[in-house]
Amino acid sequence: MKRFSCALSAGRLAALVALAAVLTAAPSAMAAKKKPWESIPVPPLSTFAMPAYERVELPSGMVVFLAEDHEFPLVELSATIDVGSIYEPAELIGLAEMTGSVMRTGGTAKYTGDRIDEMVEARGMEVETEIGQAEGTAYLSALKEDAALGLELLADILRNPVFPEDKIKLAREEQKASISRRNDDPMTIARRESAKVVYGADHPLARVAEYETIARVTRQDMVDFHARWFHPDRMYLVVVGDFDSKQMVDQIEAAFAGWAKADEPLPADPEIPDFPRTVNIVDKDDLTQTTVIMGARGIRADDPSYAGVQVANRILGGGFATRLFNEVRSRQGLAYSVGSMAGTGWRFPGLFAAFTMTKSESSQKATAAILAEIERMITEPVSDVELAQAKDNILNSEVFSYDSKREILDRLVMFERYGYPADFLQNYLAQVRAMTPQELLTAVQATWHPGQMSILAVGNYKEFDGDFTTFGPVNQIDITIPEPALDVPAATPASLEQGRQAIDRAIVAAGGAAKLAGLKSYFEKSVLDATIQGMALSFTIEKTVSYPDRMHTVQKTPFGNMTSVVAGETGWSQSPRGNQDLTGDDLQEARNEMRTDLLGIMREPGAFQFQALEPTEVEGKMCLPIYVTGVGDDYRIVFLGETGLPVLVQQPGRSPMSGAPATQKMYLDEYAAFDGLNLPSRQRLVFDDEEFGKMRTEVFTANAKVDAKLFVKP
């Protein structure tokens, strides 16, 4: 039997003694030897050099910055205009962005937007316009040989946009699609709602477009907005590339000749309030992690503390290897992502903020940990090592903000617009190099106040750890997207009586109350012919309904079949993308569909309220609109013709292209007899007055035999 000894052999003991001697007796020799990468020579940072440029102020008031660069036969032109969404009326939020888009897509009286697209693509040019929150921009990139044409196009767009209705409609649809998706991402929600918390929900820097404000925007609004804000004395041009400066100035003057100056000064900028701390929750029970933003009003870049807080933010959370990253994410393991923003702005005071994404179960702990790190920043000086690393970080990275002549000149334009000296960058970098721990501490103590930072968390509140009220009283924020409003006059006894009588006549014309009430089930087969993105497509729809609460629908498409089933208190859908249960509002909406289509309304008129509206013309025929409500939250407007039968049904819907809310209209063009009922046989489906497709009913069987297996979940 072998015996194992814990004693060391003489040879191993001698080796360990020798190693210990090396480690203890000669540390200075080991330290003195350089690591391989430390032998690589590192040159000093390059000093910032302003490129040669010329500033010219034209008689029109337009300011032009020019920098010749003959290395490549290219010309770039960027324009900045004193306009923005901060100037749009509160009831027309979205007007500025739509105006900036349609200026380019809609073209001018001389060149349509589509023609401009063709000219630009054929020459490899780029011509764009945009209006943001606090400025408008335009951009031109062209070969030297096409620069004159590009300048002509851009000047025409900026001066003479025509805003055609079809492009306005497209811009409106894009806006609506954006609104419909705005609650998809928790960080997007957090950024949007935290701006409202800090600035106020109605502040021009925080307010957001809604379906209703977008719907109000008209072509005349765009024309008026452009006429008020676009003038040469509110525009700065930067031109860089292969050109002669004198010739370029002459071309610019000629392109913009006759453009009138503004007849009123710019309004004062909106003031930034300084609200006390609030604690706010966006409760989304479908999330497993929490996104937290805590923020407060910051400073402008011309504040004496600017350089100090920029350096401090690099230490706190403005990148990797920061205090927030090391403490909250790495050591405590509380965050997937964590960081901070210095809280500086060029035109307006910035938003001093910290953020994190963490598990629901560590929401409070992570928030408290971040606030503790901010508190530490304002109570004790940073170390020399932290300060040196932050300085190097800024000095090494700042150059990339000025790595082209156009970027440098665009920054000079910004400095001039907002009242900064032209050598602001050089002064800032000098302050960074000279920054001391005490100067940094003084700067953050003057500007960072963690006790005033409002907190906004997006997550599943019932899963949060601890009690968020430790930070202050909790406000629940509703992020439900308001649906477009419908302007309907208040009902009166007379309008309700008239509406019910009109519907009774429609019921008689459709086959009679007894026939409709006796409808216990039906099978319907229809074909929809639609054009989608230029492709002509056909869809077959087979629907089986068994009253009161079962419906089986199969949509046969070129891309595969889609089935949706409502079976009383349950429902589900099947498609090539997979299976999904219908629950909550989705299930209730599907159940309501059976009761609120034309057959459902006529089968069960006692469940609804019918309000007669003012007679109106539909495609040359006078009709009586009946506003139908009472089941679910939606409405129907049934337009009854001379025969008493409906010729149009209007209701809220969703665009099949963008998914955004749209006004859905079904024009009932022809009727036919189906099993003793007079029902629509040919229809047209329209969304926001744009035809989507034509539908024809091929089969309708009243009181059809229903296979119970259709309503058994596979």
Side-chain angles (χ1 to χ4, degrees), residues 268-340:
D269 282 347
E271 294 185 3
I272 307 295
D274 202 356
F275 292 127
R277 167 183 280 185
T278 59
V279 181
N280 310 273
I281 302 294
V282 176
D283 193 4
K284 285 181 64 66
D285 59 10
D286 59 332
L287 298 179
T288 58
Q289 71 178 37
T290 304
T291 302
V292 183
I293 293 183
M294 50 206 83
R297 181 180 184 270
I299 58 173
R300 263 180 54 117
D302 53 4
D303 189 283
S305 299
Y306 174 73
V309 297
Q310 287 290 338
V311 178
N313 188 60
R314 297 296 178 116
I315 296 170
L316 174 63
F320 296 104
T322 62
R323 288 186 176 184
L324 291 181
F325 189 91
N326 292 334
E327 176 65 21
V328 181
R329 186 182 189 275
S330 299
R331 194 185 75 79
Q332 296 190 43
L334 293 175
Y336 308 114
S337 176
V338 65
S340 63

Side-chain angles (χ1 to χ4, degrees), residues 621-685:
K621 301 175 183 178
M622 288 304 299
C623 295
L624 179 64
I626 309 298
Y627 180 56
V628 184
T629 56
V631 173
D633 296 328
D634 289 343
Y635 68 87
R636 303 286 186 270
I637 301 180
V638 181
F639 294 78
L640 302 176
E642 293 180 354
T643 64
L645 290 170
V647 299
L648 167 65
V649 178
Q650 175 182 320
Q651 65 188 78
R654 295 276 171 183
S655 167
M657 304 305 298
S658 66
T663 299
Q664 175 182 315
K665 295 180 179 180
M666 182 70 81
Y667 290 87
L668 313 177
D669 293 330
E670 292 183 15
Y671 279 78
F674 294 98
D675 280 353
L677 294 173
N678 196 15
L679 302 177
S681 58
R682 292 191 178 275
Q683 304 149 67
R684 283 175 289 134
L685 185 57

Side-chain angles (χ1 to χ4, degrees), residues 108 111 115-116 119-120 123 125 127 140 147-159:
T108 69
Y111 302 109
R115 176 59 181 148
I116 293 174
M119 298 168 70
V120 165
R123 294 165 176 80
M125 289 195 297
V127 180
L140 165 67
L149 173 61
L151 178 60
E152 176 196 347
L153 290 175
L154 191 64
D156 198 23
I157 291 168
L158 290 172
R159 295 183 60 181

